[in-house]
Every structure is written in C-alpha cells, then in structure tokens.
Amino acid sequence: LFGLQVYAEFGYTGTYDNERTKKRFAECTGENADAFLGMTDFQYPIMKNGRRADNGFLMKSFLYEDPLLILFEKDFEDFDLPLTYLGLAEKYEKYAKESKALSDVMIHYAALAEFLYNKAVWREIAPFAVRLKDMEKAKEALSAATAMRKSSEKLLKTWRNIWYGRNKPFGFEIIEIRVGGMFSRCVTAEQRMRAFVKGKIKDIPELSEEKLYKLKKENGAIGYRSTGKKLLDL
C-alpha cells in the first residue's frame, strides 16, 4: 500500500521525498507509514556484528524451520535472531491501536513478531542445554517452548482471521497446513523438553545431533537451488 503512494507521488511530482510521502500517505489512507516501512524489520535479520542481512530469503527459512530439527542452525550462527525480533510485537500492537482500517493486519504482524521472537529464544537455548546436559538451561528452554507453542497458536488464529476477513477462502488451507503443522511441532518440542527436564529421557537426539551447513557455501554466501538447479547466492 505504501508502495502505491510512492509510485503516485513520484508520478505526480517527478521526485521522491520520504517525509512528504509519509505525510501524504497519512492524508490519503489515515494510516501510519512507519508501520509499513517497519515491515522490513521482519525480513532482514540482524547479524552479530550489528548490521542487517542484505537479503530477505532468510526470514522465510526461519519461519518454517522445524523447531526440533533446527536444520539451519549452522547457517544462522552469525545472526542474532532474538535481537532481530525483540520489541517488534509491542511496536505493532501500538500500530494496531492507532490504525483506522487495518488494525487486524497490525495485530497479525504483532502475532508474527511474537512467534518469531519466542522461536528465536528457543533455538538459542534448547540445543545447547541438551548437548551440555545443563538442566538449568533446559528449564529455561522449557519456558521458551511453552511461549513458542502459545504464540504459534495465536499466529494461526490471527492469520485465519485476516484471511477470512479479507480474502476468498481458497488458499488458506496451505497456510493452515504450514502453520498448523508448526503449532503441532511446537507442542512436541515442549513435551520433549519437559520429559528431558523431568529426567524421563536422557537425550533429545533431534537437538543434540550435530548440525551441518545446509544453505551456506564455502565463501560464506547463503544460497539455494532454483528450479533450474543453478545455485543462487543471497
């Protein structure tokens, strides 16, 4: 939506002024442009050196990554994912209260941010707690798993609400299978960690197994194979 405003302003004036465009966006839609510009914070994770990643491919991999297998653990080792999503949910909750027509959209983004943050905290703690047999860390991981499970269910509900409120029903079955499957895996992760904390199991192999690079290449670039089987650097 903000992109349409940019296109319109540039087409009318021949120039682009960020502050003027934000002002015009508020006049035309009644919405806060910063809420739309801030959506890039979901897409580009913060690296441990303090800068943001240059591509948005990573976020989708993290969103749908299995919470127990954590396939991209090695690939994401240079990123501070909890810091990336810290405070983002509260920011979009504020935008939701201010919004005139898109509060459901902002509530959905708040739920997405909450889930991504909780998942980031879980994956920062859980593998190392199990590998080191650190029971205090395992208890922290269990709390993180509970928060992750609750927020995944919340995300599914807000996504369902926004889809059926704004779209035709067709297509949501794909989202529901993806996010519903994620919710189910979060339930399993919580159950497995609880069993570990209580001493019912001595290991969680899904977490303790050493991970290998899946996306990162020898030169440090993160890439994937296109349908033409050409390796694309990101």
mmCIF file of all heavy atoms in Angstrom, residues 193-231:
data_model
loop_
_atom_site.group_PDB
_atom_site.id
_atom_site.type_symbol
_atom_site.label_atom_id
_atom_site.label_comp_id
_atom_site.label_asym_id
_atom_site.label_seq_id
_atom_site.Cartn_x
_atom_site.Cartn_y
_atom_site.Cartn_z
ATOM 1 N N MET A 193 10.993 -31.480 25.707
ATOM 2 C CA MET A 193 11.844 -30.766 26.651
ATOM 3 C C MET A 193 11.370 -30.999 28.092
ATOM 4 O O MET A 193 12.184 -31.121 29.011
ATOM 5 C CB MET A 193 11.875 -29.277 26.329
ATOM 6 C CG MET A 193 12.871 -28.472 27.165
ATOM 7 S SD MET A 193 14.591 -29.078 27.075
ATOM 8 C CE MET A 193 15.023 -28.620 25.390
ATOM 9 N N ARG A 194 10.065 -31.080 28.299
ATOM 10 C CA ARG A 194 9.539 -31.349 29.638
ATOM 11 C C ARG A 194 9.990 -32.735 30.123
ATOM 12 O O ARG A 194 10.373 -32.913 31.290
ATOM 13 C CB ARG A 194 8.019 -31.255 29.654
ATOM 14 C CG ARG A 194 7.411 -31.519 31.034
ATOM 15 C CD ARG A 194 5.924 -31.293 31.087
ATOM 16 N NE ARG A 194 5.586 -29.875 31.037
ATOM 17 C CZ ARG A 194 5.030 -29.279 29.983
ATOM 18 N NH1 ARG A 194 4.707 -29.981 28.905
ATOM 19 N NH2 ARG A 194 4.764 -27.995 30.009
ATOM 20 N N ALA A 195 9.956 -33.695 29.225
ATOM 21 C CA ALA A 195 10.408 -35.045 29.574
ATOM 22 C C ALA A 195 11.900 -35.044 29.911
ATOM 23 O O ALA A 195 12.342 -35.755 30.829
ATOM 24 C CB ALA A 195 10.130 -36.008 28.416
ATOM 25 N N PHE A 196 12.669 -34.233 29.212
ATOM 26 C CA PHE A 196 14.107 -34.130 29.470
ATOM 27 C C PHE A 196 14.371 -33.485 30.829
ATOM 28 O O PHE A 196 15.208 -33.963 31.605
ATOM 29 C CB PHE A 196 14.766 -33.325 28.357
ATOM 30 C CG PHE A 196 16.253 -33.163 28.502
ATOM 31 C CD1 PHE A 196 17.116 -34.216 28.237
ATOM 32 C CD2 PHE A 196 16.795 -31.943 28.886
ATOM 33 C CE1 PHE A 196 18.490 -34.063 28.369
ATOM 34 C CE2 PHE A 196 18.166 -31.777 29.026
ATOM 35 C CZ PHE A 196 19.027 -32.839 28.756
ATOM 36 N N VAL A 197 13.642 -32.428 31.118
ATOM 37 C CA VAL A 197 13.807 -31.728 32.396
ATOM 38 C C VAL A 197 13.446 -32.637 33.559
ATOM 39 O O VAL A 197 14.110 -32.629 34.609
ATOM 40 C CB VAL A 197 12.943 -30.440 32.415
ATOM 41 C CG1 VAL A 197 12.842 -29.871 33.824
ATOM 42 C CG2 VAL A 197 13.520 -29.399 31.463
ATOM 43 N N LYS A 198 12.405 -33.453 33.393
ATOM 44 C CA LYS A 198 11.955 -34.343 34.474
ATOM 45 C C LYS A 198 12.763 -35.634 34.566
ATOM 46 O O LYS A 198 12.522 -36.461 35.451
ATOM 47 C CB LYS A 198 10.471 -34.672 34.278
ATOM 48 C CG LYS A 198 9.556 -33.476 34.509
ATOM 49 C CD LYS A 198 8.094 -33.872 34.418
ATOM 50 C CE LYS A 198 7.192 -32.700 34.776
ATOM 51 N NZ LYS A 198 5.754 -33.053 34.738
ATOM 52 N N GLY A 199 13.727 -35.788 33.659
ATOM 53 C CA GLY A 199 14.576 -36.974 33.706
ATOM 54 C C GLY A 199 13.970 -38.217 33.095
ATOM 55 O O GLY A 199 14.515 -39.314 33.236
ATOM 56 N N LYS A 200 12.844 -38.080 32.406
ATOM 57 C CA LYS A 200 12.195 -39.233 31.782
ATOM 58 C C LYS A 200 12.962 -39.707 30.560
ATOM 59 O O LYS A 200 12.878 -40.873 30.167
ATOM 60 C CB LYS A 200 10.750 -38.897 31.418
ATOM 61 C CG LYS A 200 9.860 -38.644 32.629
ATOM 62 C CD LYS A 200 8.434 -38.329 32.199
ATOM 63 C CE LYS A 200 7.537 -38.126 33.418
ATOM 64 N NZ LYS A 200 6.134 -37.808 33.026
ATOM 65 N N ILE A 201 13.674 -38.775 29.917
ATOM 66 C CA ILE A 201 14.557 -39.131 28.804
ATOM 67 C C ILE A 201 15.913 -38.480 29.065
ATOM 68 O O ILE A 201 16.002 -37.428 29.700
ATOM 69 C CB ILE A 201 13.992 -38.678 27.435
ATOM 70 C CG1 ILE A 201 13.725 -37.169 27.412
ATOM 71 C CG2 ILE A 201 12.729 -39.449 27.085
ATOM 72 C CD1 ILE A 201 13.260 -36.640 26.061
ATOM 73 N N LYS A 202 16.975 -39.119 28.603
ATOM 74 C CA LYS A 202 18.331 -38.629 28.861
ATOM 75 C C LYS A 202 18.870 -37.759 27.731
ATOM 76 O O LYS A 202 19.902 -37.099 27.878
ATOM 77 C CB LYS A 202 19.276 -39.817 29.071
ATOM 78 C CG LYS A 202 18.883 -40.717 30.241
ATOM 79 C CD LYS A 202 18.868 -39.940 31.552
ATOM 80 C CE LYS A 202 18.505 -40.844 32.721
ATOM 81 N NZ LYS A 202 18.417 -40.075 34.003
ATOM 82 N N ASP A 203 18.179 -37.747 26.612
ATOM 83 C CA ASP A 203 18.668 -37.002 25.449
ATOM 84 C C ASP A 203 17.493 -36.654 24.545
ATOM 85 O O ASP A 203 16.435 -37.290 24.611
ATOM 86 C CB ASP A 203 19.689 -37.858 24.685
ATOM 87 C CG ASP A 203 20.398 -37.083 23.574
ATOM 88 O OD1 ASP A 203 20.454 -35.833 23.658
ATOM 89 O OD2 ASP A 203 20.883 -37.724 22.634
ATOM 90 N N ILE A 204 17.671 -35.610 23.743
ATOM 91 C CA ILE A 204 16.726 -35.282 22.670
ATOM 92 C C ILE A 204 17.554 -35.266 21.389
ATOM 93 O O ILE A 204 18.158 -34.239 21.036
ATOM 94 C CB ILE A 204 16.035 -33.919 22.897
ATOM 95 C CG1 ILE A 204 15.337 -33.884 24.255
ATOM 96 C CG2 ILE A 204 15.024 -33.636 21.776
ATOM 97 C CD1 ILE A 204 14.688 -32.548 24.581
ATOM 98 N N PRO A 205 17.653 -36.403 20.702
ATOM 99 C CA PRO A 205 18.556 -36.513 19.556
ATOM 100 C C PRO A 205 18.327 -35.459 18.468
ATOM 101 O O PRO A 205 19.275 -35.033 17.805
ATOM 102 C CB PRO A 205 18.269 -37.928 19.021
ATOM 103 C CG PRO A 205 17.753 -38.668 20.205
ATOM 104 C CD PRO A 205 16.974 -37.662 21.004
ATOM 105 N N GLU A 206 17.068 -35.047 18.310
ATOM 106 C CA GLU A 206 16.789 -34.025 17.287
ATOM 107 C C GLU A 206 17.572 -32.745 17.548
ATOM 108 O O GLU A 206 17.950 -32.027 16.630
ATOM 109 C CB GLU A 206 15.293 -33.683 17.249
ATOM 110 C CG GLU A 206 14.369 -34.871 17.092
ATOM 111 C CD GLU A 206 13.853 -35.355 18.444
ATOM 112 O OE1 GLU A 206 14.680 -35.724 19.296
ATOM 113 O OE2 GLU A 206 12.622 -35.349 18.641
ATOM 114 N N LEU A 207 17.787 -32.441 18.836
ATOM 115 C CA LEU A 207 18.504 -31.223 19.216
ATOM 116 C C LEU A 207 19.998 -31.470 19.400
ATOM 117 O O LEU A 207 20.816 -30.613 19.067
ATOM 118 C CB LEU A 207 17.915 -30.659 20.515
ATOM 119 C CG LEU A 207 16.494 -30.115 20.444
ATOM 120 C CD1 LEU A 207 15.989 -29.769 21.838
ATOM 121 C CD2 LEU A 207 16.424 -28.887 19.544
ATOM 122 N N SER A 208 20.361 -32.621 19.947
ATOM 123 C CA SER A 208 21.768 -32.860 20.281
ATOM 124 C C SER A 208 22.613 -33.251 19.078
ATOM 125 O O SER A 208 23.829 -33.059 19.076
ATOM 126 C CB SER A 208 21.877 -33.948 21.354
ATOM 127 O OG SER A 208 21.372 -35.177 20.875
ATOM 128 N N GLU A 209 21.991 -33.790 18.052
ATOM 129 C CA GLU A 209 22.739 -34.196 16.863
ATOM 130 C C GLU A 209 23.454 -32.996 16.249
ATOM 131 O O GLU A 209 22.876 -31.930 16.088
ATOM 132 C CB GLU A 209 21.797 -34.815 15.832
ATOM 133 C CG GLU A 209 22.478 -35.486 14.670
ATOM 134 C CD GLU A 209 23.148 -36.795 15.058
ATOM 135 O OE1 GLU A 209 22.723 -37.425 16.048
ATOM 136 O OE2 GLU A 209 24.092 -37.187 14.357
ATOM 137 N N GLU A 210 24.720 -33.187 15.881
ATOM 138 C CA GLU A 210 25.498 -32.100 15.282
ATOM 139 C C GLU A 210 24.883 -31.693 13.942
ATOM 140 O O GLU A 210 24.537 -32.539 13.122
ATOM 141 C CB GLU A 210 26.946 -32.547 15.064
ATOM 142 C CG GLU A 210 27.820 -31.460 14.470
ATOM 143 C CD GLU A 210 29.227 -31.937 14.168
ATOM 144 O OE1 GLU A 210 29.515 -33.130 14.430
ATOM 145 O OE2 GLU A 210 30.021 -31.129 13.659
ATOM 146 N N LYS A 211 24.751 -30.402 13.738
ATOM 147 C CA LYS A 211 24.165 -29.892 12.502
ATOM 148 C C LYS A 211 25.259 -29.525 11.497
ATOM 149 O O LYS A 211 26.372 -29.133 11.872
ATOM 150 C CB LYS A 211 23.297 -28.661 12.791
ATOM 151 C CG LYS A 211 22.142 -28.928 13.754
ATOM 152 C CD LYS A 211 21.203 -30.007 13.241
ATOM 153 C CE LYS A 211 19.949 -30.148 14.076
ATOM 154 N NZ LYS A 211 20.205 -30.596 15.440
ATOM 155 N N LEU A 212 24.914 -29.633 10.225
ATOM 156 C CA LEU A 212 25.824 -29.282 9.142
ATOM 157 C C LEU A 212 25.265 -28.079 8.399
ATOM 158 O O LEU A 212 24.081 -27.761 8.510
ATOM 159 C CB LEU A 212 25.972 -30.464 8.176
ATOM 160 C CG LEU A 212 26.467 -31.783 8.786
ATOM 161 C CD1 LEU A 212 26.448 -32.879 7.727
ATOM 162 C CD2 LEU A 212 27.861 -31.612 9.367
ATOM 163 N N TYR A 213 26.134 -27.437 7.628
ATOM 164 C CA TYR A 213 25.657 -26.326 6.793
ATOM 165 C C TYR A 213 24.714 -26.873 5.739
ATOM 166 O O TYR A 213 24.971 -27.894 5.113
ATOM 167 C CB TYR A 213 26.835 -25.621 6.122
ATOM 168 C CG TYR A 213 27.704 -24.836 7.066
ATOM 169 C CD1 TYR A 213 28.996 -25.251 7.365
ATOM 170 C CD2 TYR A 213 27.215 -23.681 7.669
ATOM 171 C CE1 TYR A 213 29.785 -24.530 8.247
ATOM 172 C CE2 TYR A 213 27.999 -22.955 8.553
ATOM 173 C CZ TYR A 213 29.286 -23.376 8.835
ATOM 174 O OH TYR A 213 30.063 -22.670 9.710
ATOM 175 N N LYS A 214 23.605 -26.158 5.542
ATOM 176 C CA LYS A 214 22.639 -26.568 4.520
ATOM 177 C C LYS A 214 22.531 -25.522 3.417
ATOM 178 O O LYS A 214 22.375 -25.833 2.245
ATOM 179 C CB LYS A 214 21.265 -26.804 5.162
ATOM 180 C CG LYS A 214 20.240 -27.414 4.222
ATOM 181 C CD LYS A 214 18.991 -27.792 4.966
ATOM 182 C CE LYS A 214 17.949 -28.420 4.055
ATOM 183 N NZ LYS A 214 18.386 -29.706 3.490
ATOM 184 N N LEU A 215 22.606 -24.254 3.804
ATOM 185 C CA LEU A 215 22.457 -23.159 2.849
ATOM 186 C C LEU A 215 23.770 -22.430 2.594
ATOM 187 O O LEU A 215 23.954 -21.854 1.525
ATOM 188 C CB LEU A 215 21.421 -22.147 3.364
ATOM 189 C CG LEU A 215 20.009 -22.666 3.614
ATOM 190 C CD1 LEU A 215 19.164 -21.583 4.268
ATOM 191 C CD2 LEU A 215 19.369 -23.113 2.321
ATOM 192 N N LYS A 216 24.663 -22.431 3.576
ATOM 193 C CA LYS A 216 25.892 -21.632 3.465
ATOM 194 C C LYS A 216 26.956 -22.384 2.669
ATOM 195 O O LYS A 216 27.173 -23.571 2.856
ATOM 196 C CB LYS A 216 26.424 -21.280 4.852
ATOM 197 C CG LYS A 216 27.592 -20.310 4.829
ATOM 198 C CD LYS A 216 28.055 -19.955 6.225
ATOM 199 C CE LYS A 216 27.082 -19.053 6.933
ATOM 200 N NZ LYS A 216 27.604 -18.565 8.231
ATOM 201 N N LYS A 217 27.645 -21.628 1.806
ATOM 202 C CA LYS A 217 28.707 -22.206 0.987
ATOM 203 C C LYS A 217 30.065 -21.877 1.595
ATOM 204 O O LYS A 217 30.165 -21.158 2.582
ATOM 205 C CB LYS A 217 28.607 -21.669 -0.437
ATOM 206 C CG LYS A 217 27.269 -21.975 -1.110
ATOM 207 C CD LYS A 217 27.304 -21.637 -2.581
ATOM 208 C CE LYS A 217 27.584 -20.163 -2.795
ATOM 209 N NZ LYS A 217 27.650 -19.823 -4.223
ATOM 210 N N GLU A 218 31.114 -22.383 0.972
ATOM 211 C CA GLU A 218 32.462 -22.200 1.497
ATOM 212 C C GLU A 218 32.879 -20.735 1.544
ATOM 213 O O GLU A 218 33.659 -20.326 2.396
ATOM 214 C CB GLU A 218 33.462 -22.997 0.659
ATOM 215 C CG GLU A 218 33.316 -24.510 0.831
ATOM 216 C CD GLU A 218 34.334 -25.274 0.013
ATOM 217 O OE1 GLU A 218 35.158 -24.616 -0.666
ATOM 218 O OE2 GLU A 218 34.307 -26.511 0.042
ATOM 219 N N ASN A 219 32.358 -19.927 0.616
ATOM 220 C CA ASN A 219 32.713 -18.496 0.594
ATOM 221 C C ASN A 219 31.879 -17.664 1.559
ATOM 222 O O ASN A 219 32.003 -16.450 1.602
ATOM 223 C CB ASN A 219 32.593 -17.931 -0.823
ATOM 224 C CG ASN A 219 31.162 -17.956 -1.351
ATOM 225 O OD1 ASN A 219 30.237 -18.362 -0.639
ATOM 226 N ND2 ASN A 219 30.975 -17.526 -2.584
ATOM 227 N N GLY A 220 31.007 -18.321 2.344
ATOM 228 C CA GLY A 220 30.202 -17.619 3.340
ATOM 229 C C GLY A 220 28.854 -17.162 2.850
ATOM 230 O O GLY A 220 28.010 -16.733 3.639
ATOM 231 N N ALA A 221 28.626 -17.228 1.533
ATOM 232 C CA ALA A 221 27.332 -16.809 0.979
ATOM 233 C C ALA A 221 26.274 -17.844 1.312
ATOM 234 O O ALA A 221 26.556 -19.042 1.431
ATOM 235 C CB ALA A 221 27.425 -16.633 -0.533
ATOM 236 N N ILE A 222 25.049 -17.384 1.499
ATOM 237 C CA ILE A 222 23.922 -18.277 1.742
ATOM 238 C C ILE A 222 23.109 -18.355 0.464
ATOM 239 O O ILE A 222 22.733 -17.330 -0.111
ATOM 240 C CB ILE A 222 23.046 -17.768 2.905
ATOM 241 C CG1 ILE A 222 23.853 -17.821 4.205
ATOM 242 C CG2 ILE A 222 21.790 -18.599 3.050
ATOM 243 C CD1 ILE A 222 23.103 -17.323 5.409
ATOM 244 N N GLY A 223 22.873 -19.559 -0.013
ATOM 245 C CA GLY A 223 22.182 -19.693 -1.294
ATOM 246 C C GLY A 223 21.242 -20.867 -1.315
ATOM 247 O O GLY A 223 21.153 -21.643 -0.370
ATOM 248 N N TYR A 224 20.531 -21.013 -2.395
ATOM 249 C CA TYR A 224 19.613 -22.135 -2.581
ATOM 250 C C TYR A 224 19.578 -22.477 -4.048
ATOM 251 O O TYR A 224 20.041 -21.704 -4.896
ATOM 252 C CB TYR A 224 18.203 -21.782 -2.099
ATOM 253 C CG TYR A 224 17.487 -20.762 -2.943
ATOM 254 C CD1 TYR A 224 16.557 -21.155 -3.906
ATOM 255 C CD2 TYR A 224 17.750 -19.396 -2.797
ATOM 256 C CE1 TYR A 224 15.907 -20.219 -4.686
ATOM 257 C CE2 TYR A 224 17.091 -18.464 -3.577
ATOM 258 C CZ TYR A 224 16.171 -18.876 -4.522
ATOM 259 O OH TYR A 224 15.531 -17.949 -5.298
ATOM 260 N N ARG A 225 19.049 -23.631 -4.363
ATOM 261 C CA ARG A 225 18.992 -24.062 -5.756
ATOM 262 C C ARG A 225 17.641 -23.699 -6.350
ATOM 263 O O ARG A 225 16.602 -23.980 -5.802
ATOM 264 C CB ARG A 225 19.228 -25.577 -5.870
ATOM 265 C CG ARG A 225 20.631 -25.959 -5.446
ATOM 266 C CD ARG A 225 20.984 -27.383 -5.852
ATOM 267 N NE ARG A 225 22.350 -27.688 -5.463
ATOM 268 C CZ ARG A 225 23.413 -27.358 -6.183
ATOM 269 N NH1 ARG A 225 23.260 -26.725 -7.326
ATOM 270 N NH2 ARG A 225 24.630 -27.666 -5.770
ATOM 271 N N SER A 226 17.703 -23.034 -7.488
ATOM 272 C CA SER A 226 16.476 -22.677 -8.192
ATOM 273 C C SER A 226 15.938 -23.906 -8.904
ATOM 274 O O SER A 226 16.557 -24.974 -8.893
ATOM 275 C CB SER A 226 16.757 -21.560 -9.212
ATOM 276 O OG SER A 226 17.539 -22.072 -10.282
ATOM 277 N N THR A 227 14.819 -23.743 -9.589
ATOM 278 C CA THR A 227 14.237 -24.876 -10.317
ATOM 279 C C THR A 227 15.154 -25.317 -11.446
ATOM 280 O O THR A 227 15.094 -26.449 -11.892
ATOM 281 C CB THR A 227 12.863 -24.489 -10.880
ATOM 282 O OG1 THR A 227 12.988 -23.282 -11.629
ATOM 283 C CG2 THR A 227 11.869 -24.285 -9.754
ATOM 284 N N GLY A 228 16.021 -24.408 -11.910
ATOM 285 C CA GLY A 228 16.973 -24.766 -12.952
ATOM 286 C C GLY A 228 18.242 -25.366 -12.398
ATOM 287 O O GLY A 228 19.212 -25.565 -13.124
ATOM 288 N N LYS A 229 18.262 -25.620 -11.076
ATOM 289 C CA LYS A 229 19.379 -26.231 -10.379
ATOM 290 C C LYS A 229 20.638 -25.383 -10.421
ATOM 291 O O LYS A 229 21.746 -25.867 -10.264
ATOM 292 C CB LYS A 229 19.667 -27.620 -10.929
ATOM 293 C CG LYS A 229 18.511 -28.601 -10.709
ATOM 294 C CD LYS A 229 18.866 -29.999 -11.146
ATOM 295 C CE LYS A 229 17.691 -30.954 -10.858
ATOM 296 N NZ LYS A 229 18.007 -32.334 -11.285
ATOM 297 N N LYS A 230 20.474 -24.084 -10.611
ATOM 298 C CA LYS A 230 21.607 -23.173 -10.536
ATOM 299 C C LYS A 230 21.667 -22.622 -9.119
ATOM 300 O O LYS A 230 20.680 -22.168 -8.579
ATOM 301 C CB LYS A 230 21.434 -22.028 -11.534
ATOM 302 C CG LYS A 230 22.570 -21.004 -11.482
ATOM 303 C CD LYS A 230 22.309 -19.875 -12.455
ATOM 304 C CE LYS A 230 23.409 -18.822 -12.353
ATOM 305 N NZ LYS A 230 23.149 -17.669 -13.244
ATOM 306 N N LEU A 231 22.857 -22.643 -8.514
ATOM 307 C CA LEU A 231 22.998 -22.159 -7.149
ATOM 308 C C LEU A 231 22.969 -20.635 -7.143
ATOM 309 O O LEU A 231 23.754 -19.982 -7.806
ATOM 310 C CB LEU A 231 24.302 -22.652 -6.540
ATOM 311 C CG LEU A 231 24.461 -22.454 -5.034
ATOM 312 C CD1 LEU A 231 23.401 -23.272 -4.308
ATOM 313 C CD2 LEU A 231 25.843 -22.856 -4.568
#
